[in-house]
Amino acid sequence: GNAEYMGNALRVVLRKAQPESLAAPLCDAGSAADLVLECASKLFSPDVSEDGAVMAGPLVVTMIKALGDQLAPFLDRILLAVIERLAVARSLPFIQSLVHVFAYLMGQQGPASVLDFLAAHRCANGVNGLEVLMDKWMTNEPNFTGEYLTRLSLTALVALMAPMDERVQNCACEEELVDVHEPVKTRRQRAQTGTRTHRVPAPIKIFDLLVGRMVAIADGL
């Protein structure tokens, strides 16, 4: 759609433009960076569908890389928009897109500042921002696709483990309850019949995900 096309176009502009050109004023419209921020904010509007906003996460990461200090005054507001959309996100590609932002930041600067930011925010649905991220991330991570994004997620999970923040230890994540006596179901069958879930402590889920990823990497060697 038009929103997805806009997200891709903005990423190209940010990758190609020089920092000084992004900071240069454009008549009465502010700088090029201001225009990028204004357009990016539209992707987080509730009026934009999840399919249309699927490039929102990668766009934010590209903005962080390209704008650097120019983005600093606006970063908290952007991250709040990301976590609010993540709190109500339902489609896997959109969830992966938004988790991408926080996984990237954790990989670049360590988890501490990201955890501080999220733990201090309560989303509109009443759930703490850190709990939103951990639940959406851990529940959907096994189905993330793309080599770069899965490795980014793996790097961030490792960063969370060493050492693990007490606030992460207190989080719980949803996990499918598997009955070993039932025949294995395909993804379509699970979608049709539904799945039973239970809550598990985040550290257990993170360890399980890391082992699963390592096994997958070893199998690919």
Side-chain angles (χ1 to χ4, degrees), residues 105-106 109-118 159-160 165 167:
L105 288 172
M106 288 182 186
Q109 61 190 37
S113 61
V114 178
L115 298 181
D116 289 343
F117 175 82
L118 292 173
L160 279 175
D165 190 287
R167 292 167 297 187

Side-chain angles (χ1 to χ4, degrees), residues 139-220:
T139 301
N140 293 279
E141 206 277 347
N143 296 316
F144 283 180
T145 58
E147 183 178 356
Y148 168 71
L149 291 180
T150 53
R151 288 186 179 275
L152 185 69
S153 177
L154 180 61
T155 300
L157 289 175
V158 170
L160 279 175
M161 289 288 287
M164 183 170 288
D165 190 287
E166 183 178 355
R167 292 167 297 187
V168 176
Q169 296 180 36
N170 292 331
C171 287
C173 311
E174 192 171 274
E175 182 176 70
E176 182 178 349
L177 190 60
V178 178
D179 187 341
V180 295
H181 300 294
E182 288 184 354
V184 176
K185 296 180 180 179
T186 65
R187 186 176 298 179
R188 174 177 292 183
Q189 288 173 327
R190 289 199 299 271
Q192 292 173 340
T193 62
T195 57
R196 291 179 298 164
T197 61
H198 65 144
R199 306 286 288 177
V200 297
I204 294 176
K205 185 67 174 178
I206 293 172
F207 182 76
D208 182 55
L209 290 172
L210 287 173
V211 170
R213 287 295 182 190
M214 291 177 191
V215 169
I217 292 171
D219 288 344

Side-chain angles (χ1 to χ4, degrees), residues 5-6 9-10 22 28 40 54 57 59 78 81 84 87 111 120 131 154 175 178 182 184 187 208 219:
Y5 175 80
M6 179 178 71
L10 289 174
L22 290 171
D28 297 328
V54 74
L59 174 59
I78 292 170
E84 286 289 352
E131 294 175 2
L154 180 61
E175 182 176 70
V178 178
E182 288 184 354
V184 176
R187 186 176 298 179
D208 182 55
D219 288 344

